[in-house]
Amino acid sequence: MKIQKINEWFGRRAHAIIRFRWLWIGIFVILLVAGFNGLQYMNMSTSWDDYFLEDDPILIKTDEFKEIFGNDNFVAVLTQCNNTFTKENLKLIRELSNELLDSISYADKITSLTDIEFLAGTDYGMNIEQIVPDVIPATVAGLDSVRIKAYLKKNIASRLVSSDGKLSWILLKLRAFPDVVEWRKDGSRISPEMLTGEQAHHILNKEKYKSISPMGAGMPHLSFRKMDWVGKEFPRIMGMAFVLAVIVLIIATKSFRGVVVPVLTSLSSIVIVYGALGYWEYKIDSGMVSIPVLIAFAVAIAYNIHVFSYFKRQFLLHGQRKKAVVETVSEMGWPVLFSALTTFTALLSFLVIPVVPLHFIGIATSSCVLLTFFIVIVIMPVCLSMGKDRVPKPVVNEKGGRWLDRKLMSVGDWVLSHGKIITLGSLILAVVLIYGASRIETAFDVENTMGRKIPYVDESLFVAESKLGSMYSYDVLIEFPENGQAKLPLNLVKLDSLSDYVATFPLSKRVSSILDIIKDLNQTLNENRTNFYAVPDDANQVAQMLLLYENAGGSEAEYWIDYDYRRLRLMIELSNYNSGQAERELEDVLAKAGQIFPGAKITCVGSLPQFTAMMQYVVRGQVLSFGIAIIIIALLLMFVFGSIRIGLIGIIPNIAPALVVGGIMGWFGIPLDMMTATIIPMILGLAVDDTIHFINHGHLEFNRKRNYNSAIRRTFFVVGTPLVLTSIVISANFAVYMTSVAKSFAHMGLLSICGMMAALLSDLLITPVLFRKYRIFGKEMEQAKAP
């Protein structure tokens, strides 16, 4: 590769940029205004269904389930008071139940202590009554009769009220959400799931319900609370990151332009890319929206520091502003472009993971990187070219450069004299980190990824851990070959056996199915004797009971068995969630159901199978994306430098951040979740920039003197300061994440800093050693002497 000719080409482009600088500023302003306008169309998503590609098997199965039984999501409320069975509390529970049913847009059916199908036998068959009468009794005797009725049937009591009477459970079944967004009166848009959660949250926070302490549950409510919290936490983090970046830039550059231009570059690239995604109406996950912003900010600062640092050195040397700009673009244009291309490639590797939010990260971050390059290579030179020339300060060059330049050259001398120690220490550390990385666990539950310090998480976990409440659930769909088989006593008994088996799982809290209704019908029609709480042996009797139930006005059965009596639904609510345990239980359910129903089609759908599928996708996808990124970057290095050896050598220091991040996660028990899964590909994209700058400038210096020691020392002097400053600024931005109470945010901040520092140290320590040991640019000239 003819680096000198490439630099000359960029130098000519610099002259053109300066000549037409007002045109470039006009184009930039137009793009920025268009980007701002597009932000209003951003489509924020919080639905778990939106995490999957349209043709994903788990999503197809869930859609099939919804067509038969409706929405698998629900809104639930746990109430808490000293005694549920008072007139005042029962009245509030009824009012709350009615308001949820009447005021939530996609409400379908409410089940609560004051609104439930209570089967009561009569001389002519049976009636469907209410536990709490229309006129709530005020006397002790009347309230006692309500209490007795509530606990009369175990299957009802276990779902609606705790044994001590302090807790009650309200469950609102929902209609299927349409695949459209809702428009608010103020013109803003919101998804049906988010709208449902928002409406529920508004109702639960009314002052009149305060005495029964209603706490929400269900995915729509949890999703809304999550987005509401992220909407407050994200601006706080980014605001702190912005302020901290400005402070570090002021200290590092000691220049107004050195601060303003990097900030302008990063913000403008973010606005333009997010605006374009808004015009495109691309769905953006609320929990992932900050990651492209952070990466764009980091990349913009890194590129600008490299450009500004070289410009400042040349400007101090001769004092001619436009000449310094041309020299800067000539020297920095190619390495910054190559850095952008490799970073772009590394970030695009997110697209191999079949999870939509990670696709968003890949598209948004890679777009921001390329746009940042064009802004840095055009707008930064334009800004630097404006102003007067100054008196040269060659004294800086006479002293051997600035203070940090001289110190880094000393570091280069130390590295050159301690190559064996560095190599041995790196190998030992690598073994320790590899072992740690083998211990990484995957987790997608809210406690491990977010933590109890967040109010909505703590409340959700309290509900899930209570005697009645739950947060996650999944459904087992059993589909028989022929119509009518779902109501056969033989298959109902088998379903009962499967229910008993699933109920023994550590995570299972409550199992619901058509059996609750059929057993209750049998008991009710047989003088409420407990020994009749079972499935009848006679198929005709089952059919007659279901007909009698429908004639009495019962409608609950349609949620558990389809109209053709071909499909059965088993719903399992969970007391907690552990990804590893959940995966084992799902496998056990499918295996056991397959044994019990050998001729039926068995599928698992719902939130938990989706979480588990995501876990598998992310684990496999991260390994695949990292491997693809490494291979492509190595090929790019080989192609650009025309050497297989350079490509392989250049990759070695870039594996170090991945080892450090993985090792720390394994040794300190930090789980792999949706946030931490983004770190390794992201750090790889940032780390390879430093390697490219070091190798590219080292190649240039070697071509000048044909001496490795001289080339390495000179490379430390020229690019060492920008490498250190960019790593410090980027790490400072990541450090802000550590101020969050959310575990995943704090983990991301810590691991990103460790990864960036590992990348810096590997480029300052390992790269020079490999550089010289393997003579990657050819043989030295015998007469060449290091200065």
Side-chain angles (χ1 to χ4, degrees), residues 301-313 324-325 328-329 332-333 336 376-377 380-381 384 693 722:
I301 290 173
Y303 293 174
N304 276 285
I305 285 180
H306 278 287
V307 171
F308 183 81
S309 179
Y310 194 88
F311 166 82
K312 189 173 183 180
R313 179 183 288 109
V325 169
T328 300
V329 175
M332 290 288 107
V336 173
V376 168
I377 215 66
M380 180 68 156
L384 293 176
H693 280 284

Side-chain angles (χ1 to χ4, degrees), residues 140-159:
V140 174
L143 291 171
D144 282 344
S145 67
V146 171
R147 180 192 294 270
I148 292 170
K149 201 171 185 179
Y151 291 112
L152 182 63
K153 298 183 179 183
K154 182 180 179 181
N155 67 304
I156 294 179
S158 63
R159 288 191 293 159

Side-chain angles (χ1 to χ4, degrees), residues 44 72 76 118 138 160 180 209 228 243 258 336 391 407 459 465 494 510 545 550 559 589 636 710 747-748 762 771 774:
M44 303 301 292
D72 61 315
F118 186 86
L160 296 181
V180 295
Y209 299 126
D228 182 61
V243 171
V336 173
V391 177
K407 290 297 180 182
E459 181 179 306
E465 294 165 358
K494 289 181 178 180
R510 184 165 45 240
M545 285 195 309
E550 292 175 9
Y559 295 101
V589 168
L636 284 173
S710 173
H747 291 159
M748 183 176 181
S762 64
F771 195 123
Y774 293 100

Side-chain angles (χ1 to χ4, degrees), residues 41-187:
Y41 303 111
M42 284 175 58
N43 185 7
M44 303 301 292
S45 171
T46 57
S47 173
W48 287 113
D49 287 349
D50 291 335
Y51 272 57
F52 297 88
L53 302 179
E54 291 183 359
D55 59 349
D56 192 281
I58 189 70
L59 193 59
I60 293 174
K61 291 178 182 178
T62 301
D63 289 341
E64 291 175 355
F65 173 87
K66 290 178 180 179
E67 290 179 2
I68 302 166
F69 294 109
N71 205 329
D72 61 315
N73 282 319
F74 58 84
V75 169
V77 180
L78 182 73
T79 69
Q80 184 177 23
C81 56
N82 289 331
N83 181 13
T84 298
F85 297 100
T86 66
K87 182 176 181 178
E88 294 77 15
N89 290 336
L90 290 173
K91 181 181 177 182
L92 286 175
I93 292 173
R94 173 169 284 168
E95 289 182 8
L96 177 57
S97 300
N98 291 338
E99 188 168 2
L100 289 170
L101 184 61
D102 296 337
S103 301
I104 291 182
S105 299
Y106 294 95
D108 187 18
K109 182 179 177 61
I110 196 80
T111 300
S112 71
L113 193 61
T114 60
D115 195 337
I116 187 174
E117 293 181 350
F118 186 86
L119 307 182
T122 66
D123 293 339
Y124 305 100
M126 64 162 222
N127 284 332
I128 295 179
E129 302 175 351
Q130 291 295 323
I131 293 175
V132 181
D134 292 337
V135 178
I136 300 175
T139 64
V140 174
L143 291 171
D144 282 344
S145 67
V146 171
R147 180 192 294 270
I148 292 170
K149 201 171 185 179
Y151 291 112
L152 182 63
K153 298 183 179 183
K154 182 180 179 181
N155 67 304
I156 294 179
S158 63
R159 288 191 293 159
L160 296 181
V161 62
S162 61
S163 57
D164 58 7
K166 294 182 178 181
L167 304 176
S168 83
W169 184 243
I170 301 172
L171 182 68
L172 177 67
K173 295 182 177 67
L174 302 171
R175 291 183 286 112
F177 294 139
D179 190 22
V180 295
V181 293
E182 298 282 349
W183 290 88
R184 291 193 180 99
K185 292 181 180 179
D186 61 2

Side-chain angles (χ1 to χ4, degrees), residues 32 117 162 171 219 265 297-298 308 386 419 425 451 456 498 526 600 604 654 658 720 731 745:
L32 193 57
E117 293 181 350
S162 61
L171 182 68
M219 291 308 299
T265 302
F297 205 64
F308 183 81
M386 293 179 176
Y456 85 87
L498 180 61
N526 286 276
C604 289
N654 289 288
S731 296
F745 281 28

Side-chain angles (χ1 to χ4, degrees), residues 506-637:
L507 297 181
S508 296
K509 184 165 196 174
R510 184 165 45 240
V511 181
S512 303
S513 69
I514 189 65
L515 295 173
D516 298 323
I517 296 174
I518 291 176
K519 290 181 178 181
D520 191 14
L521 279 167
N522 196 30
Q523 181 178 354
T524 300
L525 294 172
N526 286 276
E527 300 177 348
N528 211 34
R529 287 177 285 179
T530 56
N531 60 308
F532 279 92
Y533 190 74
V535 177
D537 296 330
D538 189 354
N540 291 328
Q541 186 178 350
V542 172
Q544 290 173 2
M545 285 195 309
L546 290 173
L547 180 61
L548 183 62
Y549 169 79
E550 292 175 9
N551 291 336
S555 59
E556 184 74 16
E558 67 186 37
Y559 295 101
W560 307 108
I561 191 169
D562 70 329
Y563 180 78
D564 295 323
Y565 298 110
R566 186 179 177 184
R567 300 173 181 89
L568 291 170
R569 172 192 181 187
L570 190 69
M571 178 181 177
I572 299 95
E573 296 175 71
L574 307 181
S575 58
N576 205 336
Y577 179 76
N578 174 278
S579 55
Q581 180 64 34
E583 184 176 7
R584 290 189 293 271
E585 291 187 5
L586 284 171
E587 291 174 353
D588 286 349
V589 168
L590 291 174
K592 187 68 173 179
Q595 294 174 4
I596 296 176
F597 301 99
K601 179 182 177 182
I602 313 295
T603 54
C604 289
V605 297
S607 299
L608 186 136
Q610 289 178 325
F611 292 157
T612 306
M614 275 194 297
M615 172 190 70
Q616 297 168 345
Y617 291 159
V618 170
V619 171
R620 293 196 303 264
Q622 189 191 47
V623 174
L624 181 60
S625 66
F626 178 72
I628 290 175
I630 285 289
I631 292 172
I632 294 178
I633 290 172
L635 292 175
L636 284 173
L637 289 169

